[in-house]
Amino acid sequence: MTATDRRAAAKREQILTAATRLFVRHGYGGTSMDAVSSEAGVSKQTLYRYFPSKADLLSAFITTELAPHEVFAAVPAEPETEAELRQSLVLLAQSVTGRLLQPPITAALRLVISEAFRITELRDLVRTALPGQLLEVATRQLARAATLGLIRTTRPDLSARLFVGSVFSYVALDGFLRVSPLAPPPVADLEFLVDAFLLSVAIEP
Amino acid sequence: MTATDRRAAAKREQILTAATRLFVRHGYGGTSMDAVSSEAGVSKQTLYRYFPSKADLLSAFITTELAPHEVFAAVPAEPETEAELRQSLVLLAQSVTGRLLQPPITAALRLVISEAFRITELRDLVRTALPGQLLEVATRQLARAATLGLIRTTRPDLSARLFVGSVFSYVALDGFLRVSPLAPPPVADLEFLVDAFLLSVAIEP
DNA sequence: GTCACACTGGACCGTACAGTTTGATCGTGA
DNA sequence: TCACGATCAAACTGTACGGTCCAGTGTGAC
């Protein structure tokens, strides 16, 4: 990687960071390209060199913020015992609320929900991004736990919904409608939710 | 009510209906006042007589679509037995998914989430509107059920979140990210969720 | 040293759009 | 029948904004 390349990457980063700040604070419609170039300390021509259109900027913002990796990385993939399963669920809950309630991510989700559903490329992107994956990952995990005999459920998809839904409610019901960022819920509460959920899929009657 | 009043109300309705159609299809930013006046078959002057600004139109749209009455009206307020409680929860789940997945309401929620959180008046409005009330109403119901001995929970608020979250996930995780409207989930699925939830708050192990 | 290229600042273009104004027409209530 | 208020169509205003263009400056690669 040459020095020019490095400088180019830095410029791109610098622009995207500025755009992020503005998107978070003023939304997509409320952010003009002039404002971005000024906030980034970069001429408009340079801005347009790195992001040929405003939609590209939005796209980059969303892909960056909603990359699903970290959330799922935090979760041990293959719990073998009830205790491990419980811990895995608590970690998932913590990870989801901890990350998704951060202002840039909440803002990205807001934008996806409002603008992106009309922009074709972004729709596909969302399906593979964070919240689109939540139900599927949880369903797979629970199905696996069921075959291992750790839990009992005839409908892993619905059981997953029960759990994921309650966790995601911190984002959907509390986070979205608030102006100031919402503090992540206390771990004790998440543990309560996990334990309640585990009761609903407990092996024995 | 004089004939003029009646005519005025009809005109207002006619405009709001047209605006609703456009907001649903193209969002707030994508809907121009020219388009509204044309869709309503009404001159711009008349449009502005009834709605002095575009924000007023948005406000009226949201208040109309997100009035919480019907959803809660469908739910029997005071279940006295376990069976009644179960039925009450199933009805709530049906009512919430049935209504909130309808295109105009999903659109209204999208708009609230994206635009309205910056507009002060709308924020207050949202708190008393539909999704803002869900958790509180459910919490009250469950707390009451707990004192009646129908269920057992030390944290009615979290139990409510477990249930409401799973139901609302149909809106938040499936509805928001889709383009074409999402069919409401089969009643059997909702019953599954209710029964699973009830297991998590069952009186006796 | 020089060439290509990134970058800057700012002017510029076209357009879309919220909201206003005008002047004519129509319906209704007295 | 008359007058007033509601309505209409359409032109108009001001502005904000996405995107382009230009002339000039710095800088790394060879």
Side-chain angles (χ1 to χ4, degrees), chain B residues 3-4 7 31-34 44-45 48 52-54:
Chain B
T4 342
R7 255 187 45 180
T31 299
S32 73
M33 291 301 260
D34 278 306
K44 266 179 95 175
Q45 182 168 144
Y48 274 95
S53 80
K54 197 181 176 185

Side-chain angles (χ1 to χ4, degrees), chain A residues 62-77:
Chain A
I62 287 174
T63 357
T64 306
E65 298 299 334
L66 261 45
H69 317 115
E70 292 93 345
V71 163
F72 297 130
V75 181

Side-chain angles (χ1 to χ4, degrees), chain A residues 41-113:
Chain A
V42 140
S43 77
K44 263 179 101 175
Q45 186 165 139
T46 306
L47 166 57
Y48 274 94
R49 171 184 300 279
Y50 287 94
F51 300 94
S53 78
K54 196 182 177 185
D56 286 301
L57 204 47
L58 174 64
S59 182
F61 165 64
I62 287 174
T63 357
T64 306
E65 298 299 334
L66 261 45
H69 317 115
E70 292 93 345
V71 163
F72 297 130
V75 181
E78 315 257 293
E80 300 292 337
T81 68
E82 280 183 53
E84 279 176 28
L85 175 63
R86 177 177 187 278
Q87 204 200 358
S88 161
L89 292 179
V90 171
L91 279 176
L92 180 62
Q94 264 188 286
S95 179
V96 166
T97 53
R99 281 190 64 77
L100 266 54
L101 288 178
Q102 274 165 10
I105 307 207
T106 300
L109 285 172
R110 269 199 249 260
L111 289 189
V112 164
I113 287 174

Side-chain angles (χ1 to χ4, degrees), chain B residues 134-163:
Chain B
L134 271 178
L135 274 180
E136 292 177 23
V137 169
T139 302
R140 272 202 300 277
Q141 286 251 6
L142 292 182
R144 187 173 160 284
T147 64
L148 285 183
L150 302 181
I151 63 173
R152 186 177 60 83
T153 175
T154 56
R155 293 286 303 271
D157 59 327
L158 292 179
S159 297
R161 188 177 288 278
L162 185 61
F163 174 64

Side-chain angles (χ1 to χ4, degrees), chain B residues 94-111:
Chain B
Q94 264 188 287
S95 179
V96 167
T97 54
R99 282 191 64 77
L100 265 54
L101 288 178
Q102 274 165 9
I105 306 207
T106 300
L109 285 172
R110 268 200 249 259
L111 289 189

Side-chain angles (χ1 to χ4, degrees), chain A residues 75-152:
Chain A
V75 181
E78 315 257 293
E80 300 292 337
T81 68
E82 280 183 53
E84 279 176 28
L85 175 63
R86 177 177 187 278
Q87 204 200 358
S88 161
L89 292 179
V90 171
L91 279 176
L92 180 62
Q94 264 188 286
S95 179
V96 166
T97 53
R99 281 190 64 77
L100 266 54
L101 288 178
Q102 274 165 10
I105 307 207
T106 300
L109 285 172
R110 269 199 249 260
L111 289 189
V112 164
I113 287 174
S114 59
E115 319 274 345
F117 84 109
R118 255 189 311 280
I119 305 180
T120 326
E121 350 156 271
L122 289 192
R123 276 207 301 275
D124 315 344
L125 185 151
V126 165
R127 212 164 299 128
T128 70
L130 218 167
Q133 299 275 54
L134 271 178
L135 274 179
E136 291 177 24
V137 169
T139 301
R140 273 201 300 277
Q141 286 251 4
L142 292 183
R144 186 174 160 284
T147 65
L148 283 183
L150 302 181
I151 62 173
R152 187 177 57 84

